Amino acid sequence: MLISNTILPKTLTADEKVWTPLHFRNVGSELSERIQTCKEDLKGQTVAVVGLGISGRAAVRLALARGAAVLAIDRNEKLVPLEHDSMFANHAKLRTVLGHVDRKLLEDADRVVVSPGVPLENYGLSALLQSRTMVMSELDFAAEVIPSRIKVLAVTGTNGKSTVTTFAGQMLHHLGIKAFIGGNLGNPLSDAAVQCLESSSAEDLFQVAVVEVSSYQLEIPNKYFCPSVAVVLNLTPDHLERHKTMRNYALTKCQLFSRMSDSKLALLPTGNKHLKEVYGHCVDNCNVAWIGDLPGVKMTGEAKVANLSIPTTGLVTQLQFGALKAAGTHNYLNAAVAAFSVIGLDVGIDADSIEATIEALHPPPHRMQIIFIDTYGITWVDDSKATNVEATYAGLMGLKAHKSVVLLGGLAKDSNIENSNGFEKLVEPLKYHRCVITFGYSGKMIQKTLYDAGLTIPCIRVAKLEDAVNSARSIAKSGPSTILGDAIVLSPGCASFDEFRNFVHRGKVFQELAFLTH
């Protein structure tokens, strides 16, 4: 199975200083041998895959490709059994179990592969981890198959990981490096592993896998997943209903480094007390660099120039990011971290080549995405992915120079810090803007919090997102013919489940409403 838009047909010459088929002639037999070893390696074994979302279904495909008999398990009784799905037709070794699950089925399995959406409290998974049963994350199950010559760039963090992953993938794409882009971003790593098993020759493989990793994918200790470069971008309160404490959250994130050593490169942010307390438990003998200091990535005061110092290669350089077209100055740092990480992979890419890609970068959908500039000069910005206060804060700080009408609302997350909902943090960046409009289930609470914390600009409360868009259009100031007017920015700081299926659905509705008002 091929993943669209991830494999490039271009073959470059050795003079272009990138990995090419010439490099694979020396390692092709090793890759082929590794792949052949994994084909049918689970024949005669039973693999139970728990959770049948995107990652779980990919793990089922991989387990079948490896010759296993598969139990596909999910609590949702309304799901269509995989046996009735055309993608899994003619697989006699597949059985779907929906609803109640007899724990003995898991205990008797040779392996249990857990999807990231399944808490370890479910199905007795925590107890199974202490038993002789091999319990693995989908990420680690896939990593067992990925040939070691394929370099892995792994990106995690509370906010910004999708953008950094996307920027890194685009840089590799523009420089002719074959790359798989996925993980938590959309294409599970198991899809890449299936590609490896189905590959007819080493030359067809990608050279790099850029993987967005969520904390949920790191709860089960990894045995095989070992990035060449791993990044923890930041750590702010989120997912505490699952991780309980910030220390647990930090420890989980730092599991990303647990198997890295020697020439591997770990990148962490400076100044985060939770990460500072725990990262030493996971970082052993690999190289460590910093976001905000050297060695690592350090932005200048104008935030459009980055100083990079890469300890694994000794490279010290400076990159200009003024050509970046993404909304928000925080994206300069995202692009700089992506550039540092791609150069740190040591696949023949130099600083000059990276700098030439900056103008072509664009963020993923619903992340400070400029939808369009209407005939009145109003810029419409979709930041629906900002599902917590810290993500909204970063977006607003990056828009100081562009006065905006800001849409906040949805279903607020519990920050679990001294009974604060966290929205008081937004008073400072909001002072640069035109107006706030709150909406949705938490709209009233957000409005009260902002006013109690000293908000000085108008704050209007409406019922739904549609009402917020209509109000914003009447408030936003148009610009003269040669000058842009205000921006209308959806950066909710909340989950979307009060009104929408997810942040993607919310962003699409916002975009539709924006065009309707035009």
Side-chain angles (χ1 to χ4, degrees):
M1 186 179 101
L2 291 177
I3 311 297
S4 62
N5 299 322
T6 59
I7 301 299
L8 297 179
K10 181 179 180 183
T11 300
L12 303 180
T13 66
D15 293 336
E16 291 178 89
K17 298 181 179 180
V18 298
W19 290 91
T20 70
L22 178 63
H23 296 81
F24 281 101
R25 288 173 190 166
N26 297 323
V27 300
S29 58
E30 176 188 331
L31 289 172
S32 298
E33 182 179 346
R34 171 76 178 271
I35 291 167
Q36 290 298 325
T37 299
C38 289
K39 284 183 177 179
E40 299 290 311
D41 68 319
L42 299 182
K43 189 173 183 179
Q45 297 187 32
T46 298
V47 174
V49 177
V50 181
L52 301 181
I54 295 174
S55 294
R57 290 166 64 88
V60 169
R61 289 195 297 274
L62 177 57
L64 291 169
R66 296 176 67 178
V70 178
L71 284 173
I73 294 170
D74 200 289
R75 284 186 170 182
N76 186 354
E77 296 179 347
K78 296 181 180 180
L79 290 179
V80 176
L82 296 189
E83 297 92 320
H84 300 160
D85 188 321
S86 59
M87 183 176 292
F88 298 96
N90 303 318
H91 280 291
K93 295 181 178 181
L94 173 63
R95 174 189 169 198
T96 303
V97 180
L98 302 177
H100 173 74
V101 176
D102 186 344
R103 280 186 56 180
K104 194 171 187 307
L105 289 175
L106 297 177
E107 293 168 355
D108 290 345
D110 296 285
R111 297 189 184 204
V112 178
V113 179
V114 184
S115 299
V118 179
L120 297 183
E121 291 81 6
N122 293 1
Y123 304 97
L125 292 171
S126 294
L128 277 178
L129 273 169
Q130 308 304 318
S131 71
R132 293 185 178 182
T133 304
M134 182 182 287
V135 181
M136 311 175 70
S137 67
E138 176 270 331
L139 189 74
D140 209 32
F141 186 57
E144 185 179 8
V145 174
I146 303 294
S148 59
R149 287 285 183 175
I150 294 174
K151 297 201 173 184
V152 175
L153 165 56
V155 182
T156 194
T158 306
N159 299 305
K161 54 186 177 291
S162 295
T163 300
V164 172
T165 300
T166 299
F167 282 169
Q170 290 170 0
M171 289 172 178
L172 291 164
H173 174 94
H174 289 301
L175 295 172
I177 301 292
K178 295 181 180 180
F180 171 88
I181 316 298
N184 189 60
L185 187 63
N187 298 322
L189 191 61
S190 289
D191 282 344
V194 170
Q195 273 194 68
C196 289
L197 292 181
E198 294 181 348
S199 175
S200 59
S201 71
E203 292 184 9
D204 294 332
L205 296 174
F206 39 85
Q207 298 142 255
V208 175
V210 185
V211 186
E212 179 187 316
V213 182
S214 77
S215 58
Y216 293 174
Q217 293 173 298
L218 296 169
E219 288 180 321
I220 300 172
N222 288 318
K223 183 178 179 181
Y224 301 101
F225 187 67
C226 182
S228 300
V229 178
V231 184
V232 175
L233 292 167
N234 44 54
L235 192 82
T236 56
D238 202 9
H239 304 306
L240 296 184
E241 74 287 349
R242 183 146 160 178
H243 299 302
K244 310 305 180 187
T245 68
M246 286 298 293
R247 178 179 174 81
N248 287 345
Y249 187 28
L251 276 169
T252 303
K253 287 290 191 187
C254 287
Q255 287 299 317
L256 192 64
F257 309 127
S258 62
R259 299 196 59 80
M260 296 170 59
S261 60
D262 302 326
S263 62
K264 311 297 186 183
L265 177 59
L267 183 64
L268 299 97
T270 58
N272 186 288
K273 67 176 184 178
H274 302 292
L275 291 172
K276 184 178 180 180
E277 288 173 0
V278 304
Y279 86 91
H281 296 291
C282 302
V283 176
D284 190 7
N285 295 317
C286 69
N287 298 273
V288 178
W290 304 97
I291 301 172
D293 204 351
L294 300 176
V297 181
K298 191 170 184 179
M299 307 300 292
T300 64
E302 296 78 19
K304 293 185 180 181
V305 178
N307 294 300
L308 273 59
S309 174
I310 301 177
T312 50
T313 64
L315 176 69
V316 177
T317 190
Q318 190 174 82
L319 295 180
Q320 302 281 340
F321 290 90
L324 185 68
K325 294 178 179 177
T329 56
H330 63 296
N331 276 320
Y332 295 127
L333 178 58
N334 287 334
V337 170
F340 176 94
S341 303
V342 168
I343 296 173
L345 287 170
D346 196 21
V347 290
I349 294 175
D350 58 28
D352 289 340
S353 299
I354 284 285
E355 197 162 83
T357 71
I358 302 303
E359 189 174 4
L361 300 181
H362 53 86
H366 316 299
R367 297 157 178 87
M368 294 304 290
Q369 178 187 5
I370 296 177
I371 304 167
F372 74 120
I373 300 173
D374 66 25
T375 55
Y376 300 99
I378 305 298
T379 303
W380 294 78
V381 180
D382 174 7
D383 192 29
S384 181
K385 181 60 170 67
T387 58
N388 57 52
V389 172
E390 287 74 18
T392 297
Y393 181 92
L396 294 178
M397 289 299 288
L399 289 172
K400 283 184 180 180
H402 197 159
K403 197 169 286 291
S404 304
V405 178
V406 180
L407 280 53
L408 298 173
L411 185 62
K413 296 181 178 180
D414 180 10
S415 71
N416 202 29
I417 296 179
E418 297 179 356
N419 299 317
S420 165
N421 57 54
F423 284 89
E424 66 277 0
K425 300 174 186 175
L426 301 183
V427 169
E428 168 61 22
L430 284 171
K431 73 182 183 182
Y432 298 98
H433 297 294
R434 177 80 61 199
C435 176
V436 180
I437 300 174
T438 69
F439 65 94
Y441 180 86
S442 300
K444 183 177 181 180
M445 176 273 291
I446 296 170
Q447 183 188 47
K448 182 179 186 302
T449 300
L450 292 175
Y451 274 141
D452 288 349
L455 183 71
T456 56
I457 65 173
C459 183
I460 301 167
R461 180 165 62 91
V462 298
K464 300 185 298 183
L465 177 60
E466 181 176 1
D467 304 321
V469 170
N470 291 333
S471 296
R473 184 64 192 84
S474 66
I475 294 167
K477 300 292 184 183
S478 302
S481 58
T482 58
I483 301 175
L484 289 178
D486 289 351
I488 295 175
V489 182
L490 172 67
S491 190
C494 294
S496 57
F497 306 124
D498 61 331
E499 192 177 348
F500 305 99
R501 293 190 299 274
N502 48 46
F503 76 85
V504 174
H505 180 209
R506 176 172 59 190
K508 288 180 177 178
V509 170
F510 173 71
Q511 294 188 21
E512 291 168 0
L513 292 170
F515 283 108
L516 284 174
T517 64
H518 178 46

